[in-house]
Amino acid sequence: MISSMISVKKAISIIPILLLYVFGGGDASHGAPAQGAPPAEVRPVYQWDTMTARNQYAAEDGTELMHYAYQLVTLSVPNLEELPPEAAETARRNMENFNSKMTALMDESVEVGQVMMEDAGQLYGEQETAGLPFYDETSAACWQTGDILNVRVSGSSYAGGAHPNRCDVGYLFDLRSGQFIDPTQIAENPEKFRAGAAALLTERAEALACRSQYWSDYAEIIAHWNEGTVLFDGDGMLAVYSPYLLGPYSMGEVELRLTYEELAELAGPGALEHLGMGQE
């Protein structure tokens, strides 16, 4: 009787081991917990920093003749050392190409500022000081929309005349190709996108109250929207026309927008995915 009970206890004690072997998928004596999910891929984190150049030119008597103040952006990747080799190489390429363009723009701006300083000095020397001082200023804003970096550079300058001049310029940098691009390049059919967007932007422009002030060739100017200032943000695509582009200075700046629903039809789902809207 006692020996039978001992045999039953031994059999019961073996059951958990057998279950572990059957359902654990291996030798019960070397069983181990399942491994967790593989670590998520480390992706580049892009951030932009401010790059500035300033100078002021005054006459010997202290009279300010001209100043310039330029602000652009440079690209950096704070987690570069954490990236896999291929991703790190891509990030370095993007930084190099982006910063090379911004540095060239800064150099061009400073050259303009130096010329304006010389002009201001010449006028002061001729005692024609009514229009002084001159100035030239820019400021840049940058944001990321999917794989596109948007840079909007807003400028204001005065070099004599009735009023200052204002101008906005846009730059689109594609993190996939590592190049600055024309906005139509995100589309599956670039020409279809250009023509379709031109038609819609023209409708938007004709619906504005300032339509009566447009230049006679405004529709042709809008038709080449992709050659101007174009940016992508959370609401869609924005085309910016600085004063004098569509009409006189008094009309001011004109902004025309396309929604992401319209972009989806014109540029295709691949374009929306490029802009980080693929799942919407």
Side-chain angles (χ1 to χ4, degrees), residues 236-250:
M237 187 186 86
L238 183 66
V240 182
Y241 296 89
S242 299
Y244 286 127
L245 287 180
L246 294 182
Y249 181 86
S250 59

Side-chain angles (χ1 to χ4, degrees), residues 37 41 44 49 54 91 98-99 107 112 145 152 157 172-173 185 214 219 232 234 248 258 275:
E41 179 185 0
D49 306 300
R54 299 175 181 272
F98 183 95
N99 293 339
D107 291 342
V112 170
T145 309
R152 181 172 182 171
S157 66
L172 301 175
F173 185 83
Q185 290 179 251
Y214 292 158
F232 296 96
L258 298 183
L275 295 168

Side-chain angles (χ1 to χ4, degrees), residues 118-165:
E118 294 174 3
D119 291 343
Q122 182 176 353
L123 284 175
Y124 189 74
E126 297 172 355
Q127 301 302 312
E128 298 179 14
T129 62
L132 296 174
F134 292 173
Y135 71 85
D136 195 29
E137 300 174 347
T138 63
S139 62
C142 183
W143 64 91
Q144 184 172 349
T145 309
D147 289 318
I148 300 296
L149 295 182
N150 303 261
V151 181
R152 181 172 182 171
V153 181
S154 300
S156 177
S157 66
Y158 178 72
H163 54 72
N165 291 319

Side-chain angles (χ1 to χ4, degrees), residues 40-277:
E41 179 185 0
V42 180
R43 296 173 57 85
V45 175
Y46 292 99
Q47 70 176 30
W48 30 95
D49 306 300
T50 300
M51 172 174 57
T52 61
R54 299 175 181 272
N55 204 348
Q56 184 176 22
Y57 180 44
E60 292 183 0
D61 61 7
T63 301
E64 181 185 353
L65 302 182
M66 192 274 174
H67 77 268
Y68 63 73
Y70 304 124
Q71 183 250 307
L72 291 172
V73 291
T74 58
L75 191 65
S76 62
V77 181
N79 68 335
L80 184 63
E81 300 303 322
E82 303 170 14
L83 299 175
E86 185 175 352
E89 181 179 354
T90 298
R92 289 190 183 93
R93 175 206 65 186
N94 289 341
M95 285 191 296
E96 179 179 354
N97 292 347
F98 183 95
N99 293 339
S100 176
K101 174 70 171 181
M102 291 294 110
T103 300
L105 290 174
M106 181 62 82
D107 291 342
E108 293 172 7
S109 297
V110 170
E111 289 180 7
V112 170
Q114 294 291 349
V115 171
M116 291 181 67
M117 284 185 174
E118 294 174 3
D119 291 343
Q122 182 176 353
L123 284 175
Y124 189 74
E126 297 172 355
Q127 301 302 312
E128 298 179 14
T129 62
L132 296 174
F134 292 173
Y135 71 85
D136 195 29
E137 300 174 347
T138 63
S139 62
C142 183
W143 64 91
Q144 184 172 349
T145 309
D147 289 318
I148 300 296
L149 295 182
N150 303 261
V151 181
R152 181 172 182 171
V153 181
S154 300
S156 177
S157 66
Y158 178 72
H163 54 72
N165 291 319
R166 304 196 315 272
C167 182
D168 274 43
V169 182
Y171 302 94
L172 301 175
F173 185 83
D174 185 3
L175 293 171
R176 295 184 180 182
S177 66
Q179 300 293 331
F180 284 90
I181 62 169
D182 181 292
T184 60
Q185 290 179 251
I186 68 168
E188 297 171 7
N189 185 326
E191 179 53 27
K192 175 186 174 183
F193 181 27
R194 187 204 62 77
L200 287 179
L201 290 172
T202 302
E203 290 181 10
R204 301 284 193 276
E206 293 176 345
L208 298 177
C210 59
R211 174 185 177 181
S212 61
Q213 302 181 61
Y214 292 158
W215 307 131
S216 60
D217 61 346
Y218 75 92
E220 182 179 350
I221 296 171
I222 294 176
H224 296 88
W225 60 269
N226 57 299
E227 300 174 12
T229 301
V230 178
L231 303 157
F232 296 96
D233 58 22
D235 296 320
M237 187 186 86
L238 183 66
V240 182
Y241 296 89
S242 299
Y244 286 127
L245 287 180
L246 294 182
Y249 181 86
S250 59
M251 191 178 73
E253 184 178 81
V254 176
E255 294 189 352
L256 307 174
R257 181 176 290 281
L258 298 183
T259 67
Y260 275 111
E261 289 76 13
E262 292 168 328
L263 290 175
E265 182 176 351
L266 293 172
L272 262 64
E273 192 272 334
H274 205 146
L275 295 168
M277 303 293 172

